Amino acid sequence: MGLQLDGNKLLFHLDKVNAWNKGEEIYPIYIAFSPTSYCNHKCVFCVYHYKEFKPIFFPLERYEALTREWSELGVRSLFFAGDGDPLLNKKTPQMVEASKRCGIDVALNTNGRLLNDESIAIFARDLTFIRISLNAGTAESYGKIHGTQEKDFDIVLSNIEKLVQEKKRTGSKITIGVQCLLLSNNQHEIPALAQKLKEIGVNYLAIKPFLKHPEISFDDHIENLEEVLESLNQFSEEISDKNFKLTLRAGLFLDKFKRSYQKCLSTDFMIEVDALGDVYSCGPYIGNEDHKLGNVMNMSFKEAWTSEKGRSAREYIRCNVDVSKCMPFCRPHSVNETLWQIKNPPEHINYI
């Protein structure tokens, strides 16, 4: 089937889904983890501008114990991302190694500026995929959009090229992707960016929508969006081949967005852990006490998950969250669609 960036893969985890549907206690399949809450770029669109970026770094020793526990509890994937750039924590490469040793698939999202020879070697060997946030096709635009020096643009491209070379040298299976938000001031640069990345040897460029968090001031509007998307779709067909894919994420097509579910049921399957060790239902609610299940710095994950606080938070999310106020195309959206249908099946289900 190949690359799938939207939708969900619950079909491949029917053991967990069946246990959940029977009311049994399960633990998440997927955890998004923040090694740090600090970032070296100040992207104008960042969803976390509502909170203060602080130099907080998750300790390696605690992480190693935690990832062993996650493995025992049946966690199957970890995604290093969160409210800061993972590479600001100098122990992130060792954390990736620890995850892989425990048999958990691990992936990472970064702006790519701090990739170096050591981390590139580890990531090529141990990561399932890396996704690099690169939101411009020229150094000038990059500096403005990322809130950094223009020279970072060429440094990031060079780092990506080094990672591609390491992949080829070692026969690594890592998928190397780049993600770019479609903005009014970068829309004309996407074809040039795609061509650059294809020449370097990247596997894909994903174009993602800007979705405004209600607590940030930045906003963006693209005139004639339908025409822009039509042009990008046509260009995608021209440039994509078996080695490189330009893909438009589903969230770009907001006119097609509709929630078929009335409750958020995804927390049992996917959660976020921030650099402080706080466990949350999802990224947009980091810092919201109603969505906080507990903290894993001074207790085990299982203790936090099954504590009175953990159970009451999960119950609150299942029963009280008004999903109509959540961001469209949120990460749990597709999972919620599937879980809602399982809990609310249509008539005549044997007529498949």
Side-chain angles (χ1 to χ4, degrees):
M1 185 175 183
L3 186 68
Q4 180 182 330
L5 296 180
D6 293 301
N8 69 78
K9 305 179 184 80
L10 281 177
L11 176 65
F12 301 97
H13 303 279
L14 293 180
D15 56 336
K16 291 249 189 182
V17 174
N18 287 332
W20 170 83
N21 196 34
K22 293 174 183 177
E24 298 174 11
E25 185 78 86
I26 66 166
Y27 296 92
I29 294 171
Y30 162 96
I31 296 176
F33 171 69
S34 299
T36 180
S37 61
Y38 201 50
C39 194
N40 53 336
H41 287 182
K42 295 293 178 282
C43 299
V44 294
F45 54 78
C46 181
V47 71
Y48 293 111
H49 276 316
Y50 70 89
K51 63 188 291 295
E52 186 179 357
F53 288 94
K54 295 181 180 179
I56 300 168
F57 305 100
F58 202 97
L60 174 61
E61 184 177 347
R62 178 67 191 118
Y63 180 82
E64 289 176 330
L66 197 55
T67 196
R68 288 193 295 269
E69 183 190 7
W70 282 337
S71 177
E72 292 169 1
L73 293 175
V75 173
R76 294 169 183 174
S77 65
L78 288 160
F79 185 42
F80 282 54
D83 51 339
D85 190 283
L87 299 187
L88 265 292
N89 187 328
K90 294 181 180 180
K91 300 298 183 182
T92 287
Q94 286 70 47
M95 291 180 179
V96 168
E97 288 182 307
S99 307
K100 196 65 177 178
R101 281 198 305 270
C102 290
I104 302 177
D105 283 346
V106 57
L108 184 142
N109 188 82
T110 176
N111 59 45
R113 173 61 177 81
L114 297 178
L115 285 167
N116 56 37
D117 290 346
E118 178 191 8
S119 61
I120 284 172
I122 292 170
F123 294 163
R125 184 190 68 212
D126 289 345
L127 289 180
T128 300
F129 69 83
I130 188 169
R131 185 177 299 157
I132 294 163
S133 176
L134 204 172
N135 300 282
T138 66
E140 182 181 4
S141 294
Y142 185 87
K144 292 176 181 176
I145 293 171
H146 279 252
T148 188
Q149 301 177 73
E150 291 183 9
K151 68 177 183 179
D152 280 8
F153 178 71
D154 289 324
I155 292 173
V156 170
L157 287 175
S158 175
N159 287 342
I160 295 172
E161 188 167 9
K162 290 177 183 176
L163 182 58
V164 170
Q165 290 171 351
E166 180 68 7
K167 174 183 177 177
K168 291 177 180 177
R169 186 186 72 81
T170 60
S172 165
K173 300 298 184 183
I174 184 176
T175 298
I176 302 172
V178 171
Q179 186 159 272
C180 175
L181 258 66
L182 181 64
L183 301 169
S184 55
N185 56 354
N186 73 2
Q187 57 177 300
H188 302 297
E189 299 177 357
I190 287 172
L193 175 63
Q195 190 60 51
K196 227 174 255 184
L197 295 173
K198 182 177 182 179
E199 291 169 3
I200 288 173
V202 164
N203 295 113
Y204 70 86
L205 168 62
I207 308 302
K208 186 180 177 182
F210 165 72
L211 299 174
K212 181 176 168 57
H213 190 286
E215 295 189 47
I216 68 170
S217 59
F218 177 80
D219 206 351
D220 192 71
H221 175 71
I222 298 176
E223 295 183 7
N224 304 317
L225 178 60
E226 288 186 9
E227 294 178 16
V228 172
L229 293 177
E230 184 179 348
S231 175
L232 285 173
N233 260 324
Q234 183 176 344
F235 180 70
S236 172
E237 292 178 4
E238 295 169 1
I239 196 171
S240 297
D241 56 29
K242 65 178 182 178
N243 298 314
F244 176 82
K245 183 176 178 63
L246 173 61
T247 183
L248 307 185
R249 301 293 299 270
L252 287 165
F253 306 95
L254 282 173
D255 58 322
K256 297 180 181 179
F257 178 75
K258 183 181 179 182
R259 280 194 166 91
S260 59
Y261 52 93
Q262 298 173 18
K263 301 293 180 182
C264 182
L265 304 176
S266 64
T267 305
D268 288 335
F269 292 86
M270 52 194 306
I271 53 154
E272 302 254 347
V273 178
D274 72 7
L276 289 168
D278 290 329
V279 182
Y280 290 98
S281 60
C282 63
Y285 286 105
I286 287 179
N288 186 317
E289 283 295 318
D290 289 335
H291 287 255
K292 180 178 170 181
L293 280 64
N295 183 282
V296 294
M297 283 300 189
N298 299 311
M299 66 173 69
S300 71
F301 181 81
K302 185 175 183 178
E303 288 171 332
W305 186 258
T306 59
S307 68
E308 182 179 349
K309 169 65 174 170
R311 291 184 186 280
S312 63
R314 285 188 281 152
E315 181 70 13
Y316 169 83
I317 295 159
R318 278 194 299 267
C319 300
N320 299 106
V321 170
D322 183 355
V323 294
S324 68
K325 296 180 180 178
C326 293
M327 296 170 68
F329 289 109
C330 60
R331 184 171 288 170
H333 169 65
S334 177
V335 170
N336 275 323
E337 286 189 315
T338 300
L339 296 176
W340 181 261
Q341 189 172 27
I342 289 170
K343 286 296 186 185
N344 300 271
E347 294 182 352
H348 318 307
I349 60 171
N350 289 333
Y351 291 85
I352 59 174

